[in-house]
Amino acid sequence: MAEQSYDPNDFLPTAFQQIDTATGRSTTNALKASRLKLSLTTKLKPVPSPDSEDLLAHRVCTDHMIVACWTTQHGWDDPEMVPFAPISLSPTASVLHYSTSCFEGLKVHRGFDDKLRLFRPEYNCARMVASARRVCLPEFNPEELLSLIKKLCEVDGPKWLPKGRHGESLYIRPTLIGSDSSLGFQVPGEALLVILLSYWPASTGPSKGLRLPCSDEDAVRSWPGGTGSAKISGNYAPSLPMQGEARRRGFDQVLWLFGSEGYITEAGSANFFTIWRNYEGKLQLVTPPLTDHLILAGVTRQSILDLAMERFVETARSNYGCEPLEVLEIMLTVSDLQNASRDGSLLSAFVVGTACFMQPVVHVQYGEAGINIPEESVPHVSMMRQWMKDIMFGYEENTWACEVTDE
Amino acid sequence: MAEQSYDPNDFLPTAFQQIDTATGRSTTNALKASRLKLSLTTKLKPVPSPDSEDLLAHRVCTDHMIVACWTTQHGWDDPEMVPFAPISLSPTASVLHYSTSCFEGLKVHRGFDDKLRLFRPEYNCARMVASARRVCLPEFNPEELLSLIKKLCEVDGPKWLPKGRHGESLYIRPTLIGSDSSLGFQVPGEALLVILLSYWPASTGPSKGLRLPCSDEDAVRSWPGGTGSAKISGNYAPSLPMQGEARRRGFDQVLWLFGSEGYITEAGSANFFTIWRNYEGKLQLVTPPLTDHLILAGVTRQSILDLAMERFVETARSNYGCEPLEVLEIMLTVSDLQNASRDGSLLSAFVVGTACFMQPVVHVQYGEAGINIPEESVPHVSMMRQWMKDIMFGYEENTWACEVTDE
């Protein structure tokens, strides 16, 4: 497997528009947030109660959504903010048959100071362009997507995440689908961008530790040269049978392994971290590297790495009164975990993602062998969790927070 | 990689309904073709001319489609034949985000005797259940799907494939999608079965030989433990960039290789065959085996194997006046093809599938090396092509043909 270094610029599109080589001018329309048309609803929906069944099932979206159509001939139409409603698709639409679809997931947070903030949204918007490219969907300037996301939060934020609801969030889901009605399998000539805001159940206290069974060799989530690093729809459905089996057996999610060596890749749809002490007694934060397209380059993953590098390597003791960490992006196997558990050097494991945030892992089941993992026997994890929340909710000023102005 | 023998019964579902363990009775409704409701259109569409752009782009469906809804609570609603029209989906529908979708492709043929015939449709219907299971979509009795397909052909066949159009076909596309509106990634609690009939452009004479570049290691279609053997939507979109690049370079489709050894798996979305002479001088028909979920178990692939086994092994000379063939399902590499080409023992290569039927391959590009392949230097391929057509169009009576009664 070839090594592949990580560079956020990998996500940046090289071109958003078709260029006429003779004139050097674009021949089709680019996506332009400044051209957003507002067609707001006159029938506002009731906000469901916090224990509503629909809310807990993630079935409640806010009053509006943004849609933008694209065709090969004309490029992007003007985006439009419309009442949230079902969409109409030809039964032959490309997305329904060939999975021409990608998406993103991010959150908007209501800060302690009543301001709305996104967390590193440029990262999601750039990744969405990279995902679109992986399935031949149209490209766009990620900054335009970000502007559209902000506009939707501005309009629906005040009602669905009112001031005073400090520490709560809405979930933002931009999706791009191939809407071309040709049954022939080909690059879609028509596409539809939809941006939704989903009403997210408020967190109900500290999360319990996760119990994860390892995937077996008959259920491999991703492969070198495959699509595991892209946030495309096709990566998801195939993991459902194994996930269902895990739940039936009383587990929470699947720990996806790769190869006969049992390399750890992801847990559920989240990135995996562990903290252990190496043979020299050094404390290490370890997560699998972004090689070979095996795992998704998560925003939370990158943020944990960035925070740990910035605060726990040089200045852990002086600034934070705790033991320094080495930060490593290396392939690790479930046997490594097992060995560390046996000799008592396994100190913590956790998964991170936008939806799940940061959840401790307390047990990994590997065939007949159970690996028990101490819950936060080092202070670093809870410190990082707190730092992340501080940035999201405005207690710490940081360039990662992106303010949204809602009146 | 574990060996895995092929058994058509692998496709057969073990259960189609939820069973109440106390009473032993089903708790939800099974799919029942006998309960089909007809809501036929009063506005029949014009049949487009044979050179219509929409027709050539596979955008024309017939007047009707069959739809059936499923929910976890109630099972299958009564299926309904309705006018072909756009469908309405929540923008949060599972299929749009998580690719919970599978489909089939088969054809209905107008025979020389004016009868309509399907070709081994039981195979497609059973495979669709297996594909549904792979992405946690609801199961059904494949015989009920077959009955529904026949009903649609009975209603729309007379107009869209009228008597007298001997040797022509319509394309049938059953699709099953997760329509659940929960944004949470989970087994869909609602699904929609849609059966379409697509007006297929008439074949325009003998097909030209295909030119195929090999996939590179950065674009892997399928892998052991993956989903390459299931007809699920997620398998398709990721191959679009490589397919697009192939077209831009003047090639037709991609020859998908697996592993550093360069094992041949599929070509485009079709199965691959070659005929060569081995070191002992024996004539061999070779296709990759159905191991490790790497390739789709195609109906045409199986039919070619069955016909060759039945007619070219023992009785080739006595009944058909040609040299006997050995029939092998073995892993073959592109280097094997290259070596056979160098020493003159490579005699034919072709791809097979429902949409493309049987097309010769005349060139394979492997990095800098071009492999030229003689076009049908043995009579076996055109004989098999003719036998297949004879069965499809009624010249040969065969249990593979399944008659549809249209008035």
Side-chain angles (χ1 to χ4, degrees):
Chain A
M1 287 182 285
E3 277 298 313
Q4 184 182 312
S5 69
Y6 169 70
D7 178 353
N9 290 321
D10 286 351
F11 291 142
L12 290 178
T14 49
F16 314 117
Q17 303 172 45
Q18 289 185 2
I19 304 295
D20 183 315
T21 48
T23 64
R25 294 174 67 170
S26 167
T27 58
T28 62
N29 296 319
L31 182 66
K32 285 280 181 206
S34 60
R35 298 187 60 84
L36 179 69
K37 296 181 201 163
L38 299 187
S39 305
L40 301 187
T41 184
T42 52
K43 290 183 192 170
L44 292 169
K45 299 196 277 188
V47 177
S49 70
D51 57 353
S52 136
E53 206 175 293
D54 276 351
L55 171 58
L56 297 174
H58 301 109
R59 278 183 217 282
V60 181
C61 287
T62 62
D63 292 298
H64 298 98
M65 61 185 184
I66 290 178
V67 294
C69 296
W70 174 92
T71 61
T72 312
Q73 290 78 23
H74 304 293
W76 289 97
D77 284 353
D78 290 344
E80 197 173 358
M81 192 182 302
V82 296
F84 180 87
I87 55 175
S88 173
L89 284 174
S90 169
T92 58
S94 173
V95 61
L96 304 178
H97 302 262
Y98 307 122
S99 191
T100 43
S101 168
C102 63
F103 67 92
E104 272 301 324
L106 61 165
K107 283 180 180 167
V108 58
H109 307 283
R110 180 64 77 184
F112 85 103
D113 53 358
D114 271 339
K115 285 188 181 163
L116 285 184
R117 287 179 182 82
L118 302 165
F119 183 79
R120 305 186 86 175
E122 315 79 14
Y123 198 103
N124 297 90
C125 294
R127 187 171 65 184
M128 183 136 168
V129 176
S131 299
R133 194 186 289 156
R134 187 62 186 84
V135 288
C136 286
L137 285 169
E139 301 193 12
F140 49 83
N141 186 332
E143 288 172 17
E144 301 297 324
L145 174 60
L146 177 52
S147 297
L148 291 172
I149 288 172
K150 284 181 175 178
K151 299 244 184 178
L152 188 57
C153 293
E154 282 169 24
V155 171
D156 278 356
K159 170 178 164 188
W160 292 84
L161 191 58
K163 290 182 178 176
R165 294 272 283 274
H166 306 151
E168 295 192 19
S169 315
L170 293 175
Y171 181 84
I172 307 163
R173 170 62 60 94
T175 310
L176 180 57
I177 61 176
S179 50
D180 195 317
S181 67
S182 169
L183 260 193
F185 174 51
Q186 62 190 9
V187 174
E190 293 172 33
L192 181 68
L193 172 68
V194 184
I195 308 173
L196 307 167
L197 271 184
S198 170
Y199 191 46
W200 203 254
S203 158
T204 50
S207 60
K208 69 181 179 72
L210 298 177
R211 296 165 43 80
L212 312 174
C214 295
S215 62
D216 56 42
E217 282 194 35
D218 208 34
V220 177
R221 199 198 80 91
S222 62
W223 194 267
T227 57
S229 61
K231 207 159 178 73
I232 61 171
S233 305
N235 283 337
Y236 288 80
S239 68
L240 284 174
M242 189 98 220
Q243 179 185 306
E245 199 197 313
R247 296 268 165 89
R248 276 190 295 279
R249 291 167 57 205
F251 292 100
D252 298 293
Q253 286 289 353
V254 177
L255 185 62
W256 296 103
L257 304 185
F258 173 73
S260 51
E261 302 88 346
Y263 287 112
I264 292 172
T265 59
E266 292 190 13
S269 312
N271 291 123
F272 182 87
F273 281 84
T274 190
I275 293 180
W276 62 32
R277 211 171 275 288
N278 78 348
Y279 66 99
E280 290 175 307
K282 280 193 182 149
L283 207 59
Q284 296 181 320
L285 174 72
V286 179
T287 196
L290 302 177
T291 39
D292 287 319
H293 303 293
L294 285 179
I295 67 173
L296 189 74
V299 181
T300 315
R301 174 189 179 279
Q302 191 57 47
S303 304
I304 292 296
L305 287 174
D306 292 343
L307 283 175
M309 286 292 287
E310 183 189 301
R311 306 184 184 186
F312 283 144
V313 176
E314 303 282 339
T315 59
R317 230 180 276 280
S318 56
N319 288 359
Y320 306 101
C322 64
E323 190 179 341
L325 273 183
E326 274 188 7
V327 180
L328 297 173
E329 292 180 79
I330 51 167
M331 304 285 273
L332 77 157
T333 67
V334 67
S335 301
D336 293 337
L337 221 56
Q338 205 169 15
N339 294 336
S341 170
R342 278 201 199 110
D343 66 20
S345 57
L346 185 60
L347 301 173
S348 173
F350 55 101
V351 300
V352 308
T354 296
C356 70
F357 190 39
M358 293 175 68
Q359 286 195 280
V361 177
V362 296
H363 183 91
V364 167
Q365 190 68 33
Y366 184 42
E368 297 296 306
I371 307 171
N372 291 315
I373 305 171
E375 201 166 341
E376 314 214 353
S377 54
V378 283
H380 304 75
V381 184
S382 57
M383 290 170 78
M384 289 192 288
R385 185 184 290 118
Q386 192 57 50
W387 292 336
M388 292 283 286
K389 284 188 179 172
D390 287 350
I391 298 169
M392 290 169 176
F393 296 104
Y395 292 99
E396 178 188 326
E397 266 205 51
N398 194 297
T399 55
W400 291 354
C402 169
E403 279 183 27
V404 174
T405 322
D406 70 323
E407 298 313 317
Chain B
M1 287 181 286
E3 277 297 315
Q4 182 183 316
S5 69
Y6 170 70
D7 178 354
N9 289 321
D10 286 350
F11 292 142
L12 291 177
T14 49
F16 314 118
Q17 302 170 47
Q18 290 185 1
I19 304 296
D20 182 316
T21 47
T23 63
R25 293 173 66 172
S26 166
T27 57
T28 61
N29 297 318
L31 182 66
K32 284 281 181 205
S34 61
R35 299 187 58 86
L36 179 70
K37 295 180 200 163
L38 299 186
S39 306
L40 301 187
T41 184
T42 51
K43 289 184 191 169
L44 291 168
K45 299 197 278 189
V47 177
S49 70
D51 56 354
S52 137
E53 205 175 292
D54 275 351
L55 172 58
L56 296 175
H58 300 110
R59 277 183 218 281
V60 181
C61 287
T62 62
D63 292 298
H64 299 97
M65 62 184 183
I66 290 177
V67 293
C69 296
W70 175 93
T71 60
T72 312
Q73 290 77 25
H74 303 294
W76 289 97
D77 284 353
D78 290 344
E80 196 172 359
M81 191 182 300
V82 296
F84 179 87
I87 55 175
S88 172
L89 284 173
S90 168
T92 58
S94 173
V95 61
L96 304 178
H97 302 262
Y98 307 121
S99 190
T100 45
S101 167
C102 63
F103 67 91
E104 273 299 325
L106 61 166
K107 285 179 179 167
V108 58
H109 307 283
R110 181 63 77 184
F112 85 103
D113 53 359
D114 272 339
K115 286 187 180 163
L116 285 184
R117 288 180 182 82
L118 302 164
F119 182 79
R120 304 186 86 175
E122 314 80 14
Y123 197 104
N124 297 89
C125 294
R127 187 172 64 184
M128 182 137 167
V129 175
S131 299
R133 193 186 291 155
R134 186 64 185 82
V135 287
C136 286
L137 286 168
E139 301 194 11
F140 49 83
N141 185 331
E143 289 173 17
E144 301 297 325
L145 174 60
L146 177 51
S147 297
L148 290 172
I149 288 172
K150 284 181 174 178
K151 299 242 184 177
L152 187 58
C153 293
E154 282 169 23
V155 172
D156 277 356
K159 170 179 164 187
W160 291 85
L161 191 59
K163 290 181 178 176
R165 295 272 283 273
H166 305 152
E168 294 191 20
S169 315
L170 293 175
Y171 181 83
I172 307 162
R173 170 62 61 93
T175 310
L176 180 57
I177 61 175
S179 50
D180 196 317
S181 67
S182 170
L183 260 193
F185 173 51
Q186 61 189 8
V187 174
E190 293 173 31
L192 182 68
L193 171 69
V194 184
I195 309 172
L196 308 167
L197 271 183
S198 170
Y199 192 46
W200 203 253
S203 157
T204 51
S207 60
K208 70 182 179 70
L210 299 177
R211 296 165 44 79
L212 312 174
C214 295
S215 63
D216 55 44
E217 280 194 38
D218 208 35
V220 176
R221 199 198 80 92
S222 61
W223 53 82
T227 57
S229 61
K231 209 161 176 75
I232 61 172
S233 305
N235 284 337
Y236 288 79
S239 68
L240 284 174
M242 188 99 221
Q243 179 185 306
E245 198 197 313
R247 295 267 165 88
R248 276 192 295 278
R249 290 168 57 204
F251 293 100
D252 298 293
Q253 286 289 355
V254 177
L255 185 62
W256 296 102
L257 304 185
F258 174 73
S260 52
E261 303 88 347
Y263 287 113
I264 292 172
T265 60
E266 292 191 12
S269 312
N271 291 123
F272 182 87
F273 280 84
T274 190
I275 294 179
W276 63 31
R277 211 171 276 289
N278 78 348
Y279 66 98
E280 289 176 307
K282 278 190 184 153
L283 207 58
Q284 296 181 320
L285 174 71
V286 179
T287 197
L290 302 176
T291 39
D292 286 318
H293 303 293
L294 286 177
I295 66 173
L296 189 74
V299 182
T300 315
R301 173 189 180 280
Q302 191 57 46
S303 304
I304 293 294
L305 287 174
D306 292 343
L307 284 174
M309 286 292 286
E310 183 189 301
R311 305 184 185 185
F312 282 144
V313 177
E314 302 282 338
T315 59
R317 230 178 276 282
S318 56
N319 288 0
Y320 307 102
C322 64
E323 192 178 340
L325 274 184
E326 274 188 5
V327 179
L328 297 173
E329 290 179 81
I330 50 167
M331 304 286 273
L332 77 157
T333 67
V334 67
S335 302
D336 293 337
L337 221 57
Q338 205 170 15
N339 294 337
S341 169
R342 278 201 197 109
D343 67 19
S345 58
L346 184 61
L347 301 173
S348 172
F350 54 103
V351 300
V352 308
T354 296
C356 70
F357 190 39
M358 295 174 66
Q359 285 195 282
V361 177
V362 296
H363 184 91
V364 167
Q365 191 68 32
Y366 185 41
E368 297 296 306
I371 306 171
N372 290 315
I373 304 170
E375 201 165 345
E376 314 215 350
S377 54
V378 283
H380 304 75
V381 184
S382 57
M383 290 171 77
M384 288 192 289
R385 184 184 291 116
Q386 192 56 50
W387 292 337
M388 293 282 285
K389 285 188 180 172
D390 287 349
I391 297 169
M392 289 168 177
F393 296 104
Y395 292 99
E396 178 190 324
E397 266 203 51
N398 194 298
T399 54
W400 290 354
C402 169
E403 280 184 25
V404 175
T405 324
D406 70 322
E407 296 314 316

